[in-house]
Amino acid sequence: GIRASEHWLIIINVATGKGKLHETFTKIPLEMLRDAHFTTDVLESAAKEDTREHILRLDITKYDGIMTMGGDGTVHEAVSAM
């Protein structure tokens, strides 16, 4: 299960939802994660292959979970980079 002390990587495709996804995310889910004492690193993806490049550059083993927010392309890039 999820422990309240986990460290998560969150990648947001800022082009999704006519650019409103980032604004919506920072208002509700991010605050909820932080209220539950999660720590997060948030990266923005704006162009094709951004998500993949972010993951390839990072040491993803330091994260307890990775959350992607965007369309199916964002998820596909994240999974293919792992």
Side-chain angles (χ1 to χ4, degrees):
I2 296 175
R3 300 177 316 275
S5 61
E6 292 188 357
H7 185 62
W8 280 58
L9 171 64
I10 300 166
I11 300 176
I12 303 171
N13 183 332
V14 295
T16 300
K18 298 180 183 176
K20 296 185 186 256
L21 180 61
H22 185 269
E23 177 184 335
T24 301
F25 176 72
T26 56
K27 285 184 179 175
I28 301 169
L30 186 57
E31 290 177 14
M32 290 172 63
L33 287 170
R34 289 184 176 155
D35 287 347
H37 305 288
F38 281 57
T39 57
T40 58
D41 290 334
V42 179
L43 297 174
E44 294 183 356
S45 169
K48 187 174 183 175
E49 299 293 320
D50 275 0
T51 298
R52 184 177 185 286
E53 293 301 318
H54 282 318
I55 291 175
L56 290 174
R57 281 194 306 267
L58 294 172
D59 174 11
I60 62 170
T61 63
K62 71 179 188 176
Y63 297 103
D64 296 299
I66 298 174
M67 177 188 302
T68 61
M69 301 186 75
D72 58 348
T74 306
V75 173
H76 176 75
E77 286 182 31
V79 171
S80 70
M82 291 187 251

